[in-house]
Amino acid sequence: MVIVGPLTAVIDSVGPRPWLRVKDPQPLPEASKPALLARQLRELDENSLGRLIRDHLVPLSSDHSYRTRWNGFWSSLGFDPVLRDRATEIINGFLDLAEGALEANDQDDNQTKRTEKFFDRCEGALDRILKREDEPLAWAGAAAMTFNPPARAVIDQLVSAIEKHRSDLDNEALWATLDSVRKQSLGGSGPRKRRSQR
């Protein structure tokens, strides 16, 4: 990356005007598992990762295979803490560049519209990434993506309760969490077994 301002960095692969039309988008990587995809993405340098982010801010196709890869790409950026930080920095750089261009007010109407649209897409991408940070099992990284959202919520509740129990040995709190999961998340349909308390 080349520094062009106090807070803004230009990613060489997209240049100082990343809002220009993408004529040759880089293909999204394919991986059989979310953890493998995250590993592939972590190995990319800023130029390659920045180019992928810019090229795929919004889906380029409604093709099922592409949409699956697109969703996996953005989920990996959101779930993996290292990728989340890198992607956030890259997108904030794009936002700084677009904001600077809009404030300069030296573009024609079409260029201004394109820059504004790019700015909005970057904000949407940033929201898409950052909302993952607070999701259940976000702390577990990309491997957690293999579970559907309700399963992630249950696993997160149980792991948190077990970790808390290890420190406070409060059996009643642990049993209460287990009962809550059984009733709320499993609809009370799970078998109830008698637990012996010490």
Side-chain angles (χ1 to χ4, degrees):
M1 287 198 281
V2 179
I3 303 298
V4 295
L7 298 173
T8 306
V10 172
I11 294 175
D12 295 333
S13 61
V14 299
R17 296 183 296 161
W19 49 85
L20 295 179
R21 188 180 306 280
V22 178
K23 296 179 182 176
D24 58 339
Q26 294 296 303
L28 288 171
E30 295 183 39
S32 58
K33 295 183 178 181
L36 294 175
L37 176 59
R39 186 177 311 133
Q40 284 180 2
L41 294 173
R42 279 194 306 269
E43 291 172 357
L44 297 176
D45 61 23
E46 299 312 283
N47 277 311
S48 300
L49 184 59
R51 176 78 190 267
L52 280 176
I53 289 171
R54 189 279 311 261
D55 289 1
H56 300 278
L57 282 170
V58 294
L60 303 178
S61 166
S62 59
D63 173 72
H64 178 71
S65 175
Y66 169 78
R67 287 302 295 258
T68 299
R69 287 194 317 277
W70 187 86
N71 287 327
F73 173 70
W74 287 101
S75 292
S76 290
L77 294 181
F79 264 97
D80 186 278
V82 171
L83 289 172
R84 185 169 52 242
D85 290 346
R86 289 177 64 198
T88 299
E89 185 177 335
I90 289 168
I91 295 169
N92 277 322
F94 290 162
L95 286 166
D96 288 345
L97 289 169
E99 190 173 46
L102 291 169
E103 287 174 357
N105 201 23
D106 59 359
Q107 301 181 104
D108 65 31
D109 287 346
N110 287 337
Q111 291 170 332
T112 298
K113 285 178 187 174
R114 182 178 299 282
T115 307
E116 288 171 344
K117 188 183 229 182
F118 177 78
F119 188 91
D120 291 343
R121 289 177 173 181
C122 285
E123 283 193 322
L126 201 55
D127 288 343
R128 191 181 311 131
I129 291 171
L130 295 178
K131 75 176 185 178
R132 299 282 190 189
E133 190 171 15
D134 296 325
E135 284 191 21
L137 285 189
W139 51 266
M145 291 166 37
T146 58
F147 303 107
N148 64 40
R152 285 199 299 265
V154 168
I155 294 167
D156 192 75
Q157 280 181 280
L158 294 176
V159 170
S160 298
I162 292 167
E163 282 185 344
K164 187 172 183 306
H165 183 263
R166 288 176 75 185
S167 64
D168 65 16
L169 300 175
D170 183 351
N171 288 340
E172 289 305 315
L174 180 61
W175 305 151
T177 299
L178 293 173
D179 285 340
S180 173
V181 166
R182 188 182 75 78
K183 289 175 188 168
Q184 294 175 10
S185 302
L186 303 176
S189 61
R192 183 171 180 89
K193 294 187 177 177
R194 189 99 176 133
R195 293 184 290 267
S196 60
Q197 297 182 17
R198 296 181 193 200

